[in-house]
Amino acid sequence: MDCLFCKIVNGEIPSKIVYEDDLVYSFYDIEPQAPFHILIIPKKHITSALEINDGNKDIVGHIFKVAADIACEHNIAQDGYRLVTNVGKNGGQTVGHMHFHMLGGRNLQWPPG
Ligand code: AMP
Ligand code: ZN
């Protein structure tokens, strides 16, 4: 499958790894929008959060747990962070492999643009 993030998981395209286990892979965003900006993705291809169903929904809880552990390790837990997934055109999704942006290190604005 011609998917950028599947290629990153497979090592065909290089990335700067933050965390990896059997289920998820995390790496630094190539165009950081905050002092700390990483992506957390399932290793198994899921196109977007719209594809979450009873058979694969556990991965979402796992990603939130991994994010909390990463926040503690990278000292952004106390000041806080944002964990967000964009879905489809209006959501601003540009890569068709579900990913959670984790942003921290500055005061993030709300609402987003
Ligand atoms: P989204 O717009 O929500 O689909 O987010 C896609 C994200 O992937 C953007 O923040 C991009 O900067 C990031 N991105 C695209 N290509 C790469 C890459 N090769 N390595 C790391 N991050 C990437
Ligand atoms: Zn993929």
Side-chain angles (χ1 to χ4, degrees):
M1 191 191 300
D2 194 29
C3 169
L4 175 64
F5 286 176
C6 280
K7 286 179 181 167
I8 283 181
V9 169
N10 295 337
E12 289 172 57
I13 291 175
S15 65
K16 212 175 147 201
I17 186 172
V18 176
Y19 173 85
E20 176 178 28
D21 63 26
D22 289 350
L23 298 173
V24 304
Y25 187 77
S26 176
F27 55 104
Y28 285 95
D29 196 292
I30 207 168
E31 254 182 78
Q33 303 299 317
F36 185 83
H37 185 180
I38 63 166
L39 301 173
I40 308 173
I41 69 176
K43 285 189 168 176
K44 192 168 162 247
H45 183 90
I46 298 172
T47 304
S48 80
L50 201 56
E51 306 299 318
I52 292 298
N53 55 48
D54 283 339
N56 63 17
K57 65 187 180 187
D58 289 355
I59 193 67
V60 179
H62 183 60
I63 285 171
F64 273 67
K65 164 68 165 61
V66 165
D69 291 344
I70 291 173
C72 293
E73 277 165 28
H74 291 260
N75 297 316
I76 59 167
Q78 196 171 348
D79 287 342
Y81 58 93
R82 183 171 294 164
L83 195 56
V84 64
T85 188
N86 298 326
V87 180
K89 182 171 65 74
N90 278 1
Q93 184 177 8
T94 60
V95 178
H97 180 130
M98 184 176 76
H99 49 281
F100 286 77
H101 295 261
M102 182 173 176
L103 301 124
R106 70 171 171 86
N107 203 329
L108 299 160
Q109 303 304 303
W110 191 264

mmCIF file of all heavy atoms in Angstrom, residues 11-30:
data_model
loop_
_atom_site.group_PDB
_atom_site.id
_atom_site.type_symbol
_atom_site.label_atom_id
_atom_site.label_comp_id
_atom_site.label_asym_id
_atom_site.label_seq_id
_atom_site.Cartn_x
_atom_site.Cartn_y
_atom_site.Cartn_z
ATOM 1 N N GLY A 11 10.246 1.459 8.105
ATOM 2 C CA GLY A 11 11.624 1.919 7.982
ATOM 3 C C GLY A 11 12.036 2.261 6.557
ATOM 4 O O GLY A 11 13.203 2.560 6.307
ATOM 5 N N GLU A 12 11.088 2.239 5.618
ATOM 6 C CA GLU A 12 11.402 2.594 4.222
ATOM 7 C C GLU A 12 11.657 4.095 4.093
ATOM 8 O O GLU A 12 12.371 4.532 3.198
ATOM 9 C CB GLU A 12 10.237 2.223 3.294
ATOM 10 C CG GLU A 12 10.035 0.748 3.073
ATOM 11 C CD GLU A 12 8.740 0.491 2.308
ATOM 12 O OE1 GLU A 12 8.570 1.025 1.205
ATOM 13 O OE2 GLU A 12 7.876 -0.233 2.856
ATOM 14 N N ILE A 13 11.016 4.875 4.955
ATOM 15 C CA ILE A 13 11.242 6.322 5.010
ATOM 16 C C ILE A 13 11.737 6.625 6.417
ATOM 17 O O ILE A 13 11.147 6.153 7.396
ATOM 18 C CB ILE A 13 9.945 7.095 4.683
ATOM 19 C CG1 ILE A 13 9.589 6.896 3.200
ATOM 20 C CG2 ILE A 13 10.071 8.579 5.018
ATOM 21 C CD1 ILE A 13 8.280 7.511 2.778
ATOM 22 N N PRO A 14 12.848 7.380 6.519
ATOM 23 C CA PRO A 14 13.421 7.613 7.847
ATOM 24 C C PRO A 14 12.551 8.529 8.716
ATOM 25 O O PRO A 14 11.803 9.368 8.203
ATOM 26 C CB PRO A 14 14.768 8.283 7.535
ATOM 27 C CG PRO A 14 14.647 8.827 6.164
ATOM 28 C CD PRO A 14 13.621 8.004 5.442
ATOM 29 N N SER A 15 12.660 8.351 10.011
ATOM 30 C CA SER A 15 11.957 9.214 10.962
ATOM 31 C C SER A 15 12.770 9.247 12.242
ATOM 32 O O SER A 15 13.621 8.385 12.469
ATOM 33 C CB SER A 15 10.555 8.669 11.236
ATOM 34 O OG SER A 15 10.640 7.409 11.877
ATOM 35 N N LYS A 16 12.476 10.252 13.054
ATOM 36 C CA LYS A 16 13.153 10.393 14.339
ATOM 37 C C LYS A 16 12.236 9.802 15.404
ATOM 38 O O LYS A 16 11.252 10.421 15.818
ATOM 39 C CB LYS A 16 13.438 11.877 14.605
ATOM 40 C CG LYS A 16 14.698 12.127 15.388
ATOM 41 C CD LYS A 16 14.986 13.604 15.504
ATOM 42 C CE LYS A 16 15.655 13.887 16.836
ATOM 43 N NZ LYS A 16 15.537 15.286 17.248
ATOM 44 N N ILE A 17 12.578 8.608 15.847
ATOM 45 C CA ILE A 17 11.686 7.856 16.739
ATOM 46 C C ILE A 17 11.629 8.453 18.146
ATOM 47 O O ILE A 17 12.642 8.940 18.669
ATOM 48 C CB ILE A 17 12.114 6.374 16.800
ATOM 49 C CG1 ILE A 17 11.120 5.543 17.601
ATOM 50 C CG2 ILE A 17 13.520 6.254 17.350
ATOM 51 C CD1 ILE A 17 11.370 4.047 17.546
ATOM 52 N N VAL A 18 10.433 8.415 18.721
ATOM 53 C CA VAL A 18 10.235 8.804 20.117
ATOM 54 C C VAL A 18 9.928 7.566 20.960
ATOM 55 O O VAL A 18 10.446 7.413 22.066
ATOM 56 C CB VAL A 18 9.069 9.817 20.243
ATOM 57 C CG1 VAL A 18 8.786 10.149 21.701
ATOM 58 C CG2 VAL A 18 9.356 11.084 19.448
ATOM 59 N N TYR A 19 9.093 6.691 20.419
ATOM 60 C CA TYR A 19 8.626 5.513 21.171
ATOM 61 C C TYR A 19 8.113 4.471 20.183
ATOM 62 O O TYR A 19 7.582 4.814 19.124
ATOM 63 C CB TYR A 19 7.490 5.922 22.123
ATOM 64 C CG TYR A 19 6.838 4.745 22.803
ATOM 65 C CD1 TYR A 19 7.385 4.209 23.962
ATOM 66 C CD2 TYR A 19 5.686 4.156 22.274
ATOM 67 C CE1 TYR A 19 6.795 3.107 24.575
ATOM 68 C CE2 TYR A 19 5.098 3.063 22.883
ATOM 69 C CZ TYR A 19 5.653 2.543 24.034
ATOM 70 O OH TYR A 19 5.074 1.456 24.635
ATOM 71 N N GLU A 20 8.258 3.210 20.567
ATOM 72 C CA GLU A 20 7.731 2.122 19.736
ATOM 73 C C GLU A 20 7.375 0.941 20.619
ATOM 74 O O GLU A 20 8.073 0.635 21.583
ATOM 75 C CB GLU A 20 8.812 1.700 18.724
ATOM 76 C CG GLU A 20 8.427 0.530 17.865
ATOM 77 C CD GLU A 20 9.514 0.165 16.847
ATOM 78 O OE1 GLU A 20 10.711 0.426 17.138
ATOM 79 O OE2 GLU A 20 9.170 -0.375 15.797
ATOM 80 N N ASP A 21 6.261 0.284 20.311
ATOM 81 C CA ASP A 21 5.981 -1.026 20.896
ATOM 82 C C ASP A 21 5.309 -1.880 19.822
ATOM 83 O O ASP A 21 5.348 -1.510 18.635
ATOM 84 C CB ASP A 21 5.152 -0.904 22.203
ATOM 85 C CG ASP A 21 3.768 -0.296 21.983
ATOM 86 O OD1 ASP A 21 3.226 -0.400 20.863
ATOM 87 O OD2 ASP A 21 3.224 0.285 22.944
ATOM 88 N N ASP A 22 4.701 -2.990 20.204
ATOM 89 C CA ASP A 22 4.116 -3.893 19.202
ATOM 90 C C ASP A 22 2.997 -3.226 18.398
ATOM 91 O O ASP A 22 2.752 -3.582 17.246
ATOM 92 C CB ASP A 22 3.530 -5.140 19.877
ATOM 93 C CG ASP A 22 4.620 -6.049 20.397
ATOM 94 O OD1 ASP A 22 5.794 -5.811 20.064
ATOM 95 O OD2 ASP A 22 4.294 -6.986 21.141
ATOM 96 N N LEU A 23 2.328 -2.264 19.027
ATOM 97 C CA LEU A 23 1.098 -1.717 18.435
ATOM 98 C C LEU A 23 1.246 -0.327 17.838
ATOM 99 O O LEU A 23 0.523 0.034 16.911
ATOM 100 C CB LEU A 23 -0.005 -1.673 19.511
ATOM 101 C CG LEU A 23 -0.418 -3.017 20.106
ATOM 102 C CD1 LEU A 23 -1.384 -2.801 21.269
ATOM 103 C CD2 LEU A 23 -1.054 -3.892 19.039
ATOM 104 N N VAL A 24 2.125 0.484 18.409
ATOM 105 C CA VAL A 24 2.212 1.881 17.981
ATOM 106 C C VAL A 24 3.644 2.304 17.698
ATOM 107 O O VAL A 24 4.617 1.686 18.178
ATOM 108 C CB VAL A 24 1.600 2.857 19.028
ATOM 109 C CG1 VAL A 24 0.173 2.501 19.350
ATOM 110 C CG2 VAL A 24 2.444 2.934 20.284
ATOM 111 N N TYR A 25 3.736 3.385 16.923
ATOM 112 C CA TYR A 25 5.027 3.989 16.599
ATOM 113 C C TYR A 25 4.862 5.488 16.783
ATOM 114 O O TYR A 25 3.818 6.055 16.415
ATOM 115 C CB TYR A 25 5.394 3.657 15.146
ATOM 116 C CG TYR A 25 6.784 4.093 14.749
ATOM 117 C CD1 TYR A 25 7.903 3.373 15.156
ATOM 118 C CD2 TYR A 25 6.985 5.230 13.969
ATOM 119 C CE1 TYR A 25 9.179 3.772 14.807
ATOM 120 C CE2 TYR A 25 8.256 5.636 13.608
ATOM 121 C CZ TYR A 25 9.352 4.898 14.031
ATOM 122 O OH TYR A 25 10.612 5.306 13.685
ATOM 123 N N SER A 26 5.860 6.139 17.351
ATOM 124 C CA SER A 26 5.803 7.578 17.581
ATOM 125 C C SER A 26 7.095 8.228 17.101
ATOM 126 O O SER A 26 8.188 7.697 17.337
ATOM 127 C CB SER A 26 5.574 7.852 19.070
ATOM 128 O OG SER A 26 5.611 9.235 19.305
ATOM 129 N N PHE A 27 6.959 9.381 16.445
ATOM 130 C CA PHE A 27 8.117 10.050 15.843
ATOM 131 C C PHE A 27 7.872 11.549 15.788
ATOM 132 O O PHE A 27 6.724 12.016 15.863
ATOM 133 C CB PHE A 27 8.385 9.482 14.440
ATOM 134 C CG PHE A 27 7.203 9.535 13.502
ATOM 135 C CD1 PHE A 27 7.132 10.478 12.487
ATOM 136 C CD2 PHE A 27 6.146 8.637 13.638
ATOM 137 C CE1 PHE A 27 6.046 10.527 11.622
ATOM 138 C CE2 PHE A 27 5.046 8.683 12.778
ATOM 139 C CZ PHE A 27 5.004 9.627 11.769
ATOM 140 N N TYR A 28 8.961 12.301 15.640
ATOM 141 C CA TYR A 28 8.848 13.762 15.604
ATOM 142 C C TYR A 28 8.239 14.216 14.289
ATOM 143 O O TYR A 28 8.602 13.706 13.208
ATOM 144 C CB TYR A 28 10.223 14.406 15.800
ATOM 145 C CG TYR A 28 10.679 14.340 17.237
ATOM 146 C CD1 TYR A 28 11.504 13.306 17.677
ATOM 147 C CD2 TYR A 28 10.252 15.283 18.164
ATOM 148 C CE1 TYR A 28 11.897 13.214 19.007
ATOM 149 C CE2 TYR A 28 10.642 15.208 19.495
ATOM 150 C CZ TYR A 28 11.462 14.174 19.905
ATOM 151 O OH TYR A 28 11.840 14.081 21.216
ATOM 152 N N ASP A 29 7.302 15.172 14.389
ATOM 153 C CA ASP A 29 6.708 15.757 13.187
ATOM 154 C C ASP A 29 7.787 16.538 12.436
ATOM 155 O O ASP A 29 8.603 17.235 13.029
ATOM 156 C CB ASP A 29 5.541 16.677 13.559
ATOM 157 C CG ASP A 29 4.663 16.999 12.364
ATOM 158 O OD1 ASP A 29 5.128 17.713 11.445
ATOM 159 O OD2 ASP A 29 3.507 16.529 12.336
ATOM 160 N N ILE A 30 7.768 16.399 11.111
ATOM 161 C CA ILE A 30 8.789 17.015 10.264
ATOM 162 C C ILE A 30 8.618 18.539 10.181
ATOM 163 O O ILE A 30 9.565 19.255 9.874
ATOM 164 C CB ILE A 30 8.744 16.364 8.856
ATOM 165 C CG1 ILE A 30 10.081 16.427 8.164
ATOM 166 C CG2 ILE A 30 7.642 16.936 8.001
ATOM 167 C CD1 ILE A 30 10.175 15.550 6.911
#
